[in-house]
Amino acid sequence: MTKSLAGARQGILAVLSTVLALSLSTPAHAAAPAAAATVPDGNITLEVIAANGSGCAPGTAAVIANSDRSGFRIRYYDFVAEAGGNADPTDRRKNCQVGVLVTVPAGWTFAIAEAEYRGRARLYSGAWALQRTNYYWQGSSTSSSTEETFAGPLQGYWETRDVAPVLVYTPCSAQKVLNINTELRVDAGSSGSKSSMSMRSSEGDVDTLFNFSWTRC
């Protein structure tokens, strides 16, 4: 029995010596591998190079980059469709096409992962409205679109979302132009009151948001 215990003690000491030797051979503060950047460090610049349509006269659309480089927002200052009551018949349908020049740091490219559209509706019973948006990169035959209808009575904010089923990254280059075409339409239907569908930023938390998915070239 005594011999067996002594052998066990020798085995334990041998294991402890091995563990100690391995511990001493490893740096005490080994740095973990740095995580790969998911967004570029350089600046992203955006510019509205074209804005036309019955819903966005020149100077009534602006683009703003998110501070965390996750995407950008478009804000409209006079984009509203109206029908019924004393509304002008030509105001029942409004559209706005905006061209946004996007400049990104060298060595990076991105895809549009998700688009969110926010507005405000004032629809009386019997009226209905539609919001339709499609966007595409200049020179590309591929586009993404969303369409949503709303029925009255509805008073308040609305939001629609378009999530890309497949991420399509743009060719690596310094500048890219994204064309966004949005339509708002209102039909008074059986309502005698004026209904409206708005994407004016003065209405509150109203804008269009494009979220990026970044990758290195």
Side-chain angles (χ1 to χ4, degrees):
M1 179 68 68
T2 303
K3 183 176 181 180
S4 298
L5 289 173
R9 291 192 190 96
Q10 292 174 356
I12 292 171
L13 289 173
V15 170
L16 290 175
S17 298
T18 302
V19 171
L20 180 61
L22 289 174
S23 300
L24 292 175
S25 65
T26 303
H29 301 286
T38 56
V39 297
D41 294 328
N43 291 329
I44 302 164
T45 60
L46 302 135
E47 179 186 358
V48 175
I49 60 172
N52 57 74
S54 57
C56 59
T60 62
V63 60
I64 302 166
N66 293 349
S67 59
D68 60 0
R69 304 180 184 88
S70 61
F72 67 90
R73 299 172 185 272
I74 299 177
R75 289 181 177 162
Y76 304 96
Y77 303 127
D78 192 25
F79 193 7
V80 57
E82 300 174 331
N86 62 352
D88 191 305
T90 61
D91 289 338
R92 66 185 300 270
R93 178 186 177 274
K94 294 293 182 75
N95 79 291
C96 180
Q97 182 162 330
V98 177
V100 179
L101 177 65
V102 185
T103 305
V104 303
W108 288 86
T109 187
F110 61 90
I112 300 296
E114 182 182 58
E116 299 177 20
Y117 313 99
R118 292 186 281 262
R120 186 174 179 87
R122 295 178 178 88
L123 303 177
Y124 289 90
S125 180
W128 63 272
L130 173 143
Q131 173 258 326
R132 177 189 292 130
T133 303
N134 71 81
Y135 60 88
Y136 61 93
W137 292 104
Q138 185 171 301
S140 173
S141 59
T142 303
S143 66
S144 296
S145 63
T146 183
E147 180 176 315
E148 192 74 31
T149 56
F150 304 82
L154 176 62
Q155 301 281 332
Y157 293 103
W158 55 264
E159 178 179 341
T160 61
R161 182 173 297 177
D162 175 22
V163 178
V166 178
L167 293 177
V168 180
Y169 291 91
T170 60
C172 290
S173 63
Q175 296 182 326
K176 305 166 180 67
V177 176
L178 183 66
N179 293 302
I180 306 111
N181 191 8
T182 300
E183 174 187 351
L184 297 178
R185 183 181 299 182
V186 179
D187 191 313
S190 60
S191 170
S193 301
K194 181 166 69 175
S195 293
S196 65
M197 189 75 163
S198 171
M199 292 184 77
R200 290 184 298 201
S201 59
S202 61
E203 300 273 7
D205 186 20
V206 175
D207 55 20
T208 294
L209 170 64
F210 287 92
N211 290 312
F212 293 157
S213 172
W214 291 98
T215 188
R216 293 186 183 274
C217 292

